[in-house]
Coordinates of all heavy atoms in Angstrom, one line a residue:
I1 N 0.9 -1.2 0.0 CA 0.0 0.0 0.0 C 0.9 1.2 0.0 O 1.7 1.4 0.9 CB -0.9 0.0 1.2 CG1 -1.8 -1.2 1.2 CG2 -1.7 1.3 1.3 CD1 -2.7 -1.4 2.5
L2 N 0.8 2.0 -1.0 CA 1.6 3.2 -1.1 C 1.0 4.4 -0.3 O 1.7 5.0 0.5 CB 1.8 3.6 -2.6 CG 2.7 4.8 -2.8 CD1 4.1 4.6 -2.2 CD2 2.9 5.1 -4.3
I3 N -0.3 4.7 -0.5 CA -0.9 5.8 0.2 C -2.3 5.4 0.5 O -3.1 4.9 -0.4 CB -0.9 7.1 -0.7 CG1 0.5 7.6 -0.9 CG2 -1.7 8.1 0.0 CD1 0.6 8.7 -1.9
L4 N -2.7 5.6 1.7 CA -4.1 5.5 2.1 C -4.4 6.6 3.0 O -3.9 6.7 4.1 CB -4.4 4.1 2.8 CG -5.8 3.9 3.4 CD1 -6.8 3.9 2.3 CD2 -5.9 2.6 4.1
G5 N -5.3 7.5 2.5 CA -5.6 8.7 3.3 C -7.0 9.1 3.1 O -7.6 8.8 2.1
V6 N -7.6 9.8 4.1 CA -8.9 10.3 4.1 C -8.9 11.8 4.5 O -8.2 12.2 5.5 CB -9.9 9.5 5.0 CG1 -11.3 10.1 5.0 CG2 -9.9 8.1 4.6
V7 N -9.5 12.6 3.7 CA -9.6 14.1 4.0 C -10.1 14.3 5.4 O -11.0 13.5 5.9 CB -10.5 14.8 3.0 CG1 -10.6 16.3 3.3 CG2 -9.9 14.6 1.6
K8 N -9.5 15.2 6.2 CA -9.8 15.4 7.6 C -11.3 15.4 8.0 O -11.7 14.7 8.9 CB -9.2 16.7 8.1 CG -9.2 16.8 9.6 CD -8.4 18.0 10.0 CE -8.3 18.1 11.5 NZ -7.4 19.1 12.0
E9 N -12.1 16.1 7.2 CA -13.5 16.2 7.6 C -14.3 14.9 7.4 O -15.4 14.7 7.8 CB -14.2 17.4 6.9 CG -14.2 17.3 5.4 CD -13.1 18.2 4.8 OE1 -12.1 18.4 5.5 OE2 -13.2 18.5 3.6
Y10 N -13.7 13.9 6.7 CA -14.4 12.6 6.5 C -13.8 11.5 7.3 O -14.2 10.3 7.1 CB -14.3 12.3 5.0 CG -15.2 13.2 4.1 CD1 -14.6 14.3 3.4 CD2 -16.6 13.1 4.1 CE1 -15.4 15.1 2.7 CE2 -17.3 14.0 3.4 CZ -16.7 15.0 2.7 OH -17.5 15.9 1.9
R11 N -12.8 11.8 8.1 CA -12.2 10.8 8.9 C -13.1 10.3 10.0 O -14.1 10.9 10.4 CB -10.9 11.3 9.6 CG -9.8 11.6 8.6 CD -8.5 12.1 9.2 NE -7.6 12.5 8.1 CZ -6.6 13.3 8.3 NH1 -6.4 13.8 9.5 NH2 -5.9 13.6 7.3
R12 N -12.8 9.1 10.5 CA -13.6 8.5 11.6 C -15.0 8.1 11.2 O -15.9 8.0 12.0 CB -13.6 9.3 12.9 CG -12.3 9.9 13.3 CD -11.4 9.0 14.0 NE -11.9 8.3 15.1 CZ -11.5 7.2 15.6 NH1 -10.4 6.6 15.1 NH2 -12.0 6.6 16.6
Q13 N -15.1 7.8 9.9 CA -16.4 7.4 9.3 C -16.3 6.0 8.7 O -17.3 5.5 8.1 CB -17.0 8.4 8.3 CG -17.3 9.7 8.9 CD -17.8 10.7 7.9 OE1 -18.5 10.3 6.9 NE2 -17.5 12.0 8.1
G14 N -15.2 5.4 8.8 CA -15.0 4.0 8.3 C -14.6 3.9 6.9 O -14.5 2.8 6.3
L15 N -14.3 5.1 6.2 CA -13.9 5.0 4.8 C -12.6 4.3 4.5 O -12.5 3.5 3.6 CB -13.8 6.5 4.3 CG -15.2 7.2 4.3 CD1 -14.9 8.7 3.9 CD2 -16.2 6.6 3.4
A16 N -11.6 4.5 5.3 CA -10.3 3.9 5.2 C -10.5 2.4 5.3 O -9.9 1.6 4.6 CB -9.3 4.4 6.1
G17 N -11.3 2.0 6.3 CA -11.6 0.5 6.5 C -12.3 -0.1 5.3 O -11.9 -1.2 4.9
I18 N -13.2 0.6 4.7 CA -13.9 0.1 3.5 C -12.9 -0.1 2.4 O -12.9 -1.1 1.7 CB -15.1 1.0 3.2 CG1 -16.2 0.9 4.2 CG2 -15.6 0.7 1.8 CD1 -17.2 2.0 4.1
L19 N -12.1 1.0 2.1 CA -11.1 0.9 1.1 C -10.1 -0.3 1.3 O -9.9 -1.0 0.3 CB -10.3 2.2 1.0 CG -11.1 3.4 0.5 CD1 -10.3 4.7 0.7 CD2 -11.5 3.2 -1.0
L20 N -9.6 -0.4 2.5 CA -8.7 -1.5 2.8 C -9.4 -2.8 2.6 O -8.8 -3.8 2.0 CB -8.2 -1.3 4.2 CG -7.1 -2.3 4.6 CD1 -5.9 -2.3 3.7 CD2 -6.7 -2.1 6.1
Q21 N -10.6 -3.0 3.1 CA -11.3 -4.3 3.0 C -11.5 -4.7 1.5 O -11.4 -5.8 1.1 CB -12.6 -4.3 3.8 CG -13.2 -5.7 3.9 CD -12.3 -6.7 4.6 OE1 -11.8 -6.4 5.7 NE2 -12.0 -7.8 4.0
H22 N -11.8 -3.7 0.7 CA -12.0 -3.9 -0.7 C -10.7 -4.4 -1.3 O -10.7 -5.4 -2.1 CB -12.6 -2.7 -1.4 CG -12.8 -2.9 -2.9 ND1 -13.8 -3.6 -3.4 CD2 -12.1 -2.5 -3.9 CE1 -13.8 -3.7 -4.7 NE2 -12.7 -2.9 -5.1
L23 N -9.6 -3.8 -1.0 CA -8.3 -4.2 -1.5 C -8.0 -5.6 -1.1 O -7.6 -6.5 -1.9 CB -7.2 -3.3 -1.0 CG -5.8 -3.7 -1.3 CD1 -5.5 -3.8 -2.8 CD2 -4.8 -2.8 -0.6
L24 N -8.2 -5.9 0.2 CA -7.9 -7.3 0.7 C -8.8 -8.3 0.1 O -8.3 -9.4 -0.2 CB -8.0 -7.3 2.2 CG -7.0 -6.4 3.0 CD1 -7.2 -6.4 4.4 CD2 -5.5 -6.8 2.6
N25 N -10.1 -8.0 -0.1 CA -11.0 -9.0 -0.8 C -10.5 -9.3 -2.2 O -10.5 -10.4 -2.6 CB -12.4 -8.4 -0.8 CG -13.1 -8.4 0.5 OD1 -12.6 -9.0 1.5 ND2 -14.1 -7.6 0.6
T26 N -10.0 -8.3 -2.9 CA -9.5 -8.5 -4.2 C -8.2 -9.3 -4.2 O -8.0 -10.2 -5.0 CB -9.2 -7.1 -4.9 OG1 -10.5 -6.4 -5.0 CG2 -8.7 -7.3 -6.3
L27 N -7.3 -9.0 -3.3 CA -6.0 -9.7 -3.2 C -6.2 -11.2 -2.8 O -5.4 -12.0 -3.2 CB -5.1 -9.0 -2.2 CG -4.6 -7.6 -2.7 CD1 -3.7 -7.0 -1.6 CD2 -3.9 -7.7 -4.0
H28 N -7.2 -11.5 -2.0 CA -7.4 -12.8 -1.5 C -7.8 -13.7 -2.8 O -7.6 -14.9 -2.7 CB -8.5 -12.9 -0.5 CG -8.0 -12.7 0.9 ND1 -7.3 -13.6 1.6 CD2 -8.1 -11.6 1.7 CE1 -7.0 -13.2 2.8 NE2 -7.5 -11.9 2.9
K29 N -8.3 -13.1 -3.8 CA -8.6 -13.9 -5.0 C -7.4 -14.3 -5.8 O -7.5 -15.1 -6.7 CB -9.6 -13.1 -5.9 CG -10.9 -12.8 -5.2 CD -11.8 -11.9 -6.1 CE -13.0 -11.5 -5.3 NZ -13.8 -10.4 -6.0
H30 N -6.3 -13.6 -5.6 CA -5.0 -13.9 -6.3 C -4.1 -14.7 -5.3 O -3.4 -14.1 -4.5 CB -4.3 -12.5 -6.7 CG -5.2 -11.7 -7.6 ND1 -5.2 -11.9 -8.9 CD2 -6.0 -10.7 -7.3 CE1 -6.1 -11.0 -9.5 NE2 -6.6 -10.3 -8.5
V31 N -4.2 -16.0 -5.5 CA -3.5 -16.9 -4.5 C -2.0 -16.7 -4.5 O -1.4 -17.1 -3.6 CB -3.9 -18.4 -4.8 CG1 -5.4 -18.6 -4.5 CG2 -3.5 -18.8 -6.2
T32 N -1.5 -16.1 -5.5 CA 0.0 -15.9 -5.5 C 0.4 -14.7 -4.7 O 1.6 -14.6 -4.3 CB 0.5 -15.7 -7.0 OG1 -0.2 -14.5 -7.5 CG2 0.3 -16.9 -7.8
C33 N -0.6 -13.9 -4.3 CA -0.3 -12.8 -3.4 C -0.2 -13.3 -1.9 O -1.2 -13.9 -1.4 CB -1.3 -11.7 -3.5 SG -1.0 -10.3 -2.4
K34 N 0.9 -13.2 -1.3 CA 1.1 -13.8 0.0 C 1.2 -12.7 1.2 O 1.1 -13.1 2.3 CB 2.4 -14.6 0.1 CG 2.3 -15.7 -1.0 CD 1.2 -16.7 -0.7 CE 1.2 -17.8 -1.7 NZ 0.0 -18.6 -1.7
A35 N 1.4 -11.5 0.8 CA 1.5 -10.4 1.8 C 1.2 -9.1 1.3 O 1.4 -8.8 0.1 CB 3.0 -10.5 2.4
V36 N 0.8 -8.2 2.2 CA 0.6 -6.8 1.9 C 1.4 -6.0 2.9 O 1.4 -6.2 4.1 CB -0.9 -6.4 2.1 CG1 -1.1 -4.9 1.8 CG2 -1.8 -7.3 1.3
Y37 N 2.2 -5.1 2.3 CA 3.2 -4.3 3.1 C 2.8 -2.8 3.0 O 2.3 -2.4 2.0 CB 4.6 -4.5 2.6 CG 5.2 -5.8 2.7 CD1 5.0 -6.8 1.7 CD2 5.8 -6.2 3.9 CE1 5.6 -8.0 1.8 CE2 6.3 -7.5 4.0 CZ 6.2 -8.4 3.0 OH 6.7 -9.7 3.1
L38 N 3.2 -2.1 4.1 CA 3.0 -0.7 4.1 C 4.0 -0.1 5.0 O 4.6 -0.7 5.9 CB 1.6 -0.3 4.5 CG 1.1 -0.7 5.9 CD1 1.4 0.3 7.0 CD2 -0.4 -1.0 5.9
H39 N 4.2 1.2 4.8 CA 5.1 2.0 5.7 C 4.2 3.1 6.3 O 3.4 3.7 5.7 CB 6.2 2.7 4.9 CG 7.1 1.7 4.2 ND1 7.2 1.7 2.8 CD2 7.7 0.6 4.6 CE1 8.0 0.7 2.5 NE2 8.3 0.0 3.5
V40 N 4.5 3.4 7.6 CA 3.8 4.5 8.3 C 4.7 5.3 9.1 O 5.7 4.8 9.7 CB 2.6 3.9 9.1 CG1 3.2 3.0 10.2 CG2 1.8 4.9 9.7
L41 N 4.5 6.6 9.1 CA 5.3 7.5 9.9 C 5.3 7.1 11.3 O 4.2 6.8 11.9 CB 4.8 8.9 9.7 CG 5.6 10.1 10.3 CD1 6.9 10.2 9.6 CD2 4.8 11.4 10.2
Y42 N 6.4 7.0 12.0 CA 6.5 6.5 13.3 C 5.6 7.2 14.3 O 5.2 6.6 15.3 CB 8.0 6.4 13.8 CG 8.4 7.8 14.3 CD1 8.5 8.1 15.7 CD2 8.7 8.8 13.4 CE1 8.9 9.3 16.1 CE2 9.1 10.1 13.8 CZ 9.2 10.3 15.2 OH 9.6 11.5 15.6
S43 N 5.4 8.5 14.1 CA 4.6 9.3 15.0 C 3.1 9.3 14.7 O 2.3 9.9 15.5 CB 5.1 10.7 15.0 OG 5.0 11.3 13.7
N44 N 2.7 8.6 13.7 CA 1.3 8.6 13.3 C 0.5 7.5 14.1 O 0.2 6.4 13.5 CB 1.1 8.4 11.8 CG -0.3 8.7 11.3 OD1 -1.2 8.7 12.1 ND2 -0.4 8.8 10.0
K45 N 0.3 7.8 15.3 CA -0.3 6.8 16.2 C -1.7 6.3 15.8 O -2.0 5.2 15.9 CB -0.4 7.3 17.7 CG 0.9 7.8 18.2 CD 2.0 6.7 18.2 CE 3.3 7.3 18.8 NZ 4.4 6.5 18.5
Q46 N -2.5 7.2 15.2 CA -3.8 6.8 14.8 C -3.7 5.8 13.6 O -4.4 4.8 13.6 CB -4.6 8.0 14.3 CG -5.2 8.8 15.5 CD -6.1 9.9 15.0 OE1 -5.7 10.7 14.1 NE2 -7.3 10.0 15.5
A47 N -2.8 6.1 12.7 CA -2.7 5.1 11.6 C -2.1 3.8 12.1 O -2.6 2.7 11.6 CB -1.7 5.7 10.5
I48 N -1.2 3.8 13.0 CA -0.6 2.6 13.5 C -1.7 1.8 14.2 O -1.8 0.5 14.0 CB 0.5 2.9 14.5 CG1 1.7 3.4 13.7 CG2 0.9 1.6 15.3 CD1 2.8 4.0 14.5
Q49 N -2.5 2.4 15.0 CA -3.7 1.7 15.7 C -4.6 1.2 14.7 O -5.1 0.0 14.8 CB -4.4 2.7 16.6 CG -3.6 3.0 17.9 CD -4.3 4.0 18.8 OE1 -5.2 4.7 18.4 NE2 -3.7 4.2 20.0
F50 N -4.9 1.9 13.6 CA -5.8 1.5 12.6 C -5.3 0.2 11.9 O -6.0 -0.8 11.8 CB -6.0 2.6 11.5 CG -6.7 2.1 10.3 CD1 -8.1 1.9 10.3 CD2 -6.0 1.9 9.1 CE1 -8.8 1.5 9.1 CE2 -6.7 1.4 8.0 CZ -8.0 1.2 8.0
Y51 N -4.0 0.2 11.5 CA -3.5 -1.0 10.8 C -3.4 -2.2 11.8 O -3.6 -3.3 11.4 CB -2.1 -0.7 10.2 CG -2.2 0.3 9.0 CD1 -1.6 1.5 9.0 CD2 -3.0 0.0 7.9 CE1 -1.7 2.4 8.0 CE2 -3.1 0.9 6.9 CZ -2.5 2.1 6.9 OH -2.6 2.9 5.8
E52 N -3.0 -1.9 13.0 CA -3.0 -3.0 14.0 C -4.4 -3.6 14.2 O -4.5 -4.8 14.3 CB -2.4 -2.6 15.3 CG -0.9 -2.3 15.2 CD -0.2 -1.8 16.5 OE1 -0.9 -1.2 17.3 OE2 1.0 -2.0 16.6
S53 N -5.4 -2.8 14.2 CA -6.8 -3.3 14.3 C -7.2 -4.1 13.1 O -8.2 -4.9 13.2 CB -7.7 -2.1 14.5 OG -8.0 -1.4 13.3
K54 N -6.5 -4.0 12.0 CA -6.8 -4.7 10.8 C -5.9 -5.9 10.7 O -5.7 -6.5 9.6 CB -6.7 -3.9 9.6 CG -7.6 -2.6 9.6 CD -9.1 -3.0 9.8 CE -9.9 -1.7 9.8 NZ -11.3 -2.0 10.2
N55 N -5.2 -6.3 11.7 CA -4.3 -7.4 11.8 C -2.9 -7.3 11.1 O -2.2 -8.3 10.9 CB -5.0 -8.7 11.4 CG -6.2 -9.0 12.3 OD1 -6.0 -8.9 13.5 ND2 -7.3 -9.4 11.7
F56 N -2.6 -6.1 10.8 CA -1.2 -5.9 10.2 C -0.3 -6.0 11.4 O -0.6 -5.6 12.5 CB -1.1 -4.5 9.6 CG -1.6 -4.4 8.2 CD1 -3.0 -4.3 8.0 CD2 -0.8 -4.4 7.1 CE1 -3.5 -4.2 6.7 CE2 -1.2 -4.4 5.8 CZ -2.6 -4.2 5.6
Q57 N 0.9 -6.5 11.1 CA 1.9 -6.8 12.2 C 3.1 -5.9 11.9 O 3.6 -5.8 10.8 CB 2.3 -8.2 12.2 CG 1.2 -9.2 12.4 CD 1.6 -10.6 12.2 OE1 2.8 -10.9 11.9 NE2 0.7 -11.6 12.3
Y58 N 3.6 -5.3 13.0 CA 4.9 -4.6 12.9 C 6.0 -5.5 12.5 O 6.1 -6.6 13.0 CB 5.2 -3.9 14.3 CG 6.6 -3.4 14.4 CD1 6.9 -2.1 13.9 CD2 7.6 -4.1 14.9 CE1 8.2 -1.6 13.9 CE2 8.9 -3.6 15.0 CZ 9.2 -2.4 14.5 OH 10.5 -1.9 14.6
R59 N 6.8 -5.1 11.5 CA 7.9 -5.9 11.1 C 9.3 -5.2 11.4 O 10.1 -5.8 12.0 CB 7.8 -6.2 9.6 CG 6.7 -7.1 9.2 CD 7.2 -8.5 9.7 NE 6.1 -9.3 10.3 CZ 6.1 -9.8 11.5 NH1 7.1 -9.8 12.3 NH2 5.1 -10.5 12.0
I60 N 9.5 -4.0 10.9 CA 10.8 -3.4 11.1 C 10.7 -1.9 11.2 O 9.8 -1.3 10.7 CB 11.8 -3.7 9.9 CG1 11.3 -3.3 8.6 CG2 12.2 -5.2 9.9 CD1 12.2 -3.5 7.4
H61 N 11.7 -1.3 11.9 CA 11.9 0.1 12.0 C 12.7 0.6 10.9 O 13.8 0.0 10.6 CB 12.5 0.4 13.4 CG 12.8 1.8 13.7 ND1 14.0 2.2 14.3 CD2 12.1 2.9 13.4 CE1 14.0 3.5 14.4 NE2 12.9 4.0 13.8
L62 N 12.3 1.7 10.3 CA 13.1 2.2 9.1 C 13.6 3.7 9.5 O 12.8 4.6 9.3 CB 12.2 2.3 7.9 CG 11.6 0.9 7.5 CD1 10.4 1.1 6.5 CD2 12.6 0.0 6.9
P63 N 14.8 3.8 9.9 CA 15.3 5.1 10.3 C 15.4 6.0 9.1 O 15.8 5.6 8.0 CB 16.7 4.8 10.9 CG 16.7 3.3 11.2 CD 15.7 2.7 10.2
Y64 N 15.0 7.3 9.3 CA 15.1 8.3 8.3 C 14.4 8.0 7.0 O 14.9 8.3 5.9 CB 16.6 8.6 8.0 CG 17.4 9.0 9.3 CD1 18.3 8.1 9.8 CD2 17.1 10.1 10.0 CE1 19.0 8.4 10.9 CE2 17.8 10.4 11.2 CZ 18.7 9.5 11.6 OH 19.4 9.8 12.8
Y65 N 13.4 7.2 7.0 CA 12.7 6.8 5.8 C 12.0 7.9 5.0 O 12.1 7.9 3.8 CB 11.7 5.7 6.2 CG 11.0 5.0 5.0 CD1 11.7 4.0 4.3 CD2 9.8 5.4 4.6 CE1 11.1 3.4 3.2 CE2 9.2 4.8 3.5 CZ 9.9 3.8 2.8 OH 9.3 3.2 1.7
Y66 N 11.4 8.8 5.8 CA 10.7 9.9 5.1 C 11.5 11.2 5.2 O 12.2 11.5 6.2 CB 9.4 10.2 5.8 CG 8.3 9.1 5.6 CD1 8.0 8.3 6.7 CD2 7.7 9.0 4.4 CE1 7.0 7.3 6.5 CE2 6.7 8.0 4.3 CZ 6.4 7.2 5.3 OH 5.4 6.2 5.2
C67 N 11.5 12.0 4.2 CA 12.0 13.4 4.2 C 10.9 14.3 3.9 O 10.3 14.4 2.8 CB 13.1 13.5 3.2 SG 13.9 15.2 3.2
I68 N 10.5 15.0 5.0 CA 9.3 15.9 4.9 C 9.8 17.4 5.2 O 10.3 17.7 6.2 CB 8.2 15.5 5.9 CG1 7.8 14.1 5.6 CG2 7.0 16.5 5.8 CD1 6.9 13.5 6.7
K69 N 9.7 18.2 4.1 CA 10.1 19.6 4.2 C 11.6 19.7 4.7 O 11.9 20.5 5.5 CB 9.2 20.4 5.2 CG 7.8 20.5 4.6 CD 6.9 21.3 5.6 CE 5.5 21.4 5.0 NZ 4.6 22.2 5.9
G70 N 12.4 18.8 4.2 CA 13.8 18.8 4.4 C 14.2 18.2 5.7 O 15.4 18.1 6.1
E71 N 13.3 17.6 6.5 CA 13.6 17.0 7.8 C 13.3 15.5 7.7 O 12.3 15.1 7.1 CB 12.7 17.6 8.9 CG 13.1 17.2 10.3 CD 12.3 17.9 11.4 OE1 11.6 18.9 11.1 OE2 12.5 17.4 12.5
N72 N 14.2 14.7 8.2 CA 14.1 13.2 8.1 C 13.3 12.7 9.3 O 13.4 13.1 10.4 CB 15.4 12.6 8.1 CG 16.2 12.9 6.8 OD1 15.6 12.9 5.8 ND2 17.5 13.2 6.9
F73 N 12.4 11.7 9.0 CA 11.6 11.0 10.0 C 11.7 9.5 9.8 O 11.8 9.0 8.7 CB 10.1 11.5 9.9 CG 10.0 12.9 10.2 CD1 10.0 13.8 9.1 CD2 9.7 13.4 11.5 CE1 9.8 15.2 9.4 CE2 9.6 14.7 11.7 CZ 9.6 15.7 10.7
D74 N 11.5 8.8 10.9 CA 11.5 7.3 10.9 C 10.1 6.8 10.5 O 9.1 7.5 10.6 CB 11.8 6.8 12.3 CG 13.3 7.0 12.7 OD1 14.0 7.7 11.9 OD2 13.6 6.6 13.8
A75 N 10.1 5.6 10.0 CA 8.9 4.9 9.7 C 8.9 3.5 10.2 O 10.0 3.0 10.7 CB 8.7 4.8 8.1
Y76 N 7.8 2.9 10.2 CA 7.6 1.5 10.6 C 7.1 0.8 9.4 O 6.2 1.3 8.7 CB 6.7 1.3 11.8 CG 7.1 1.9 13.1 CD1 6.2 2.6 13.9 CD2 8.4 1.9 13.5 CE1 6.6 3.2 15.1 CE2 8.8 2.5 14.7 CZ 7.9 3.1 15.5 OH 8.3 3.7 16.7
C77 N 7.5 -0.4 9.2 CA 7.0 -1.3 8.1 C 6.1 -2.3 8.8 O 6.4 -2.9 9.8 CB 8.1 -2.0 7.4 SG 7.5 -3.2 6.2
F78 N 4.9 -2.4 8.3 CA 3.9 -3.4 8.7 C 3.5 -4.4 7.6 O 3.7 -4.0 6.4 CB 2.6 -2.7 9.1 CG 2.6 -2.0 10.5 CD1 3.3 -0.8 10.7 CD2 2.1 -2.7 11.6 CE1 3.3 -0.2 11.9 CE2 2.1 -2.1 12.9 CZ 2.8 -0.9 13.0
A79 N 3.1 -5.6 8.0 CA 2.8 -6.6 7.0 C 1.5 -7.3 7.4 O 1.3 -7.5 8.6 CB 3.9 -7.6 6.8
L80 N 0.7 -7.7 6.4 CA -0.4 -8.6 6.6 C -0.2 -9.8 5.7 O -0.1 -9.6 4.5 CB -1.7 -7.9 6.3 CG -3.0 -8.7 6.4 CD1 -3.3 -9.1 7.9 CD2 -4.2 -8.0 5.8
Y81 N -0.2 -10.9 6.3 CA 0.1 -12.2 5.5 C -1.3 -12.8 5.1 O -2.2 -12.8 6.0 CB 0.9 -13.1 6.3 CG 2.2 -12.5 6.7 CD1 2.5 -12.0 8.0 CD2 3.2 -12.2 5.7 CE1 3.6 -11.4 8.3 CE2 4.4 -11.6 6.1 CZ 4.6 -11.2 7.4 OH 5.8 -10.5 7.7
I82 N -1.4 -13.1 3.9 CA -2.7 -13.6 3.3 C -2.5 -14.9 2.6 O -1.4 -15.3 2.3 CB -3.4 -12.6 2.5 CG1 -2.6 -12.2 1.2 CG2 -3.7 -11.3 3.3 CD1 -3.3 -11.3 0.3
N83 N -3.6 -15.5 2.2 CA -3.6 -16.7 1.4 C -2.7 -17.8 2.0 O -2.0 -18.5 1.2 CB -3.2 -16.4 0.0 CG -4.3 -15.5 -0.7 OD1 -5.4 -15.7 -0.5 ND2 -3.8 -14.6 -1.6
G84 N -2.8 -18.0 3.3 CA -2.1 -19.1 3.9 C -0.6 -19.0 4.0 O 0.0 -20.0 4.3
K85 N 0.0 -17.9 3.8 CA 1.4 -17.8 3.9 C 1.8 -16.9 5.1 O 1.2 -15.8 5.3 CB 2.0 -17.1 2.6 CG 3.4 -17.2 2.5 CD 3.9 -18.6 2.3 CE 5.4 -18.7 2.0 NZ 5.9 -20.0 2.0
D86 N 2.8 -17.3 5.8 CA 3.3 -16.5 6.9 C 4.8 -16.3 6.6 O 5.6 -17.3 6.7 CB 3.1 -17.3 8.3 CG 3.6 -16.4 9.4 OD1 4.2 -15.3 9.2 OD2 3.3 -16.8 10.6
L87 N 5.2 -15.1 6.3 CA 6.5 -14.8 5.9 C 7.4 -14.3 7.0 O 8.4 -13.7 6.8 CB 6.5 -13.8 4.8 CG 5.8 -14.2 3.5 CD1 5.7 -13.1 2.5 CD2 6.3 -15.5 2.9
K88 N 7.0 -14.6 8.3 CA 7.7 -14.0 9.4 C 9.2 -14.4 9.4 O 10.0 -13.7 9.9 CB 7.1 -14.5 10.7 CG 5.7 -13.9 11.0 CD 5.2 -14.5 12.3 CE 3.7 -14.1 12.5 NZ 3.1 -14.7 13.6
K89 N 9.5 -15.6 8.9 CA 10.9 -16.1 8.9 C 11.8 -15.2 8.1 O 13.0 -15.2 8.3 CB 10.9 -17.5 8.4 CG 10.5 -17.7 7.0 CD 10.6 -19.1 6.6 CE 10.0 -19.3 5.2 NZ 10.0 -20.7 4.8
F90 N 11.3 -14.3 7.2 CA 12.1 -13.5 6.4 C 12.4 -12.2 7.1 O 13.2 -11.4 6.6 CB 11.4 -13.2 5.1 CG 11.3 -14.5 4.2 CD1 10.0 -15.0 4.0 CD2 12.4 -15.1 3.7 CE1 9.9 -16.2 3.3 CE2 12.3 -16.3 3.0 CZ 11.0 -16.8 2.8
F91 N 11.8 -11.9 8.3 CA 12.1 -10.7 9.0 C 12.7 -10.9 10.3 O 12.5 -11.7 11.0 CB 10.8 -9.9 9.2 CG 10.2 -9.4 7.9 CD1 9.3 -10.1 7.2 CD2 10.7 -8.1 7.4 CE1 8.8 -9.6 6.0 CE2 10.2 -7.7 6.2 CZ 9.2 -8.4 5.5

């Protein structure tokens, strides 16, 4: 997942969950897809809670992953394993 965002006035209405569920339903039909990965800004606690509530698992810390307005910020990588595959051994 490269970007998943909802405009501020429409947040907390379940839109991100609907979009994510639609993506996951589609990916489950492709048995060769074994995992969904995403990166999230380390300080974005709401996004982290959202992804964890959707069973994404923290995998790795990515120092200086984002550069925002010339300043570097860390990120976390999360993964959701699907279609019967658990790739934990690779992390």
Side-chain angles (χ1 to χ4, degrees):
I1 298 173
L2 183 58
I3 297 174
L4 176 61
V6 177
V7 176
K8 189 172 185 174
E9 57 265 24
Y10 294 101
R11 292 181 188 158
R12 312 288 304 161
Q13 296 181 32
L15 297 173
I18 291 168
L19 291 170
L20 182 60
Q21 191 58 54
H22 181 71
L23 171 66
L24 295 175
N25 289 344
T26 300
L27 293 176
H28 276 287
K29 296 174 187 173
H30 301 278
V31 295
T32 57
C33 182
K34 302 300 182 190
V36 179
Y37 295 93
L38 62 88
H39 304 120
V40 61
L41 187 66
Y42 80 102
S43 61
N44 191 343
K45 304 301 181 203
Q46 283 185 308
I48 292 167
Q49 288 175 348
F50 170 75
Y51 292 120
E52 288 177 335
S53 77
K54 304 301 182 194
N55 297 315
F56 279 79
Q57 301 170 3
Y58 168 82
R59 287 289 140 233
I60 56 174
H61 175 219
L62 303 165
Y64 308 111
Y65 186 80
Y66 291 107
C67 182
I68 302 170
K69 296 182 180 178
E71 191 174 350
N72 293 319
F73 296 92
D74 293 359
Y76 298 138
C77 177
F78 281 80
L80 177 69
Y81 303 104
I82 61 174
N83 294 326
K85 191 66 174 175
D86 185 350
L87 301 176
K88 290 179 188 176
K89 64 183 175 184
F90 295 109
F91 289 93

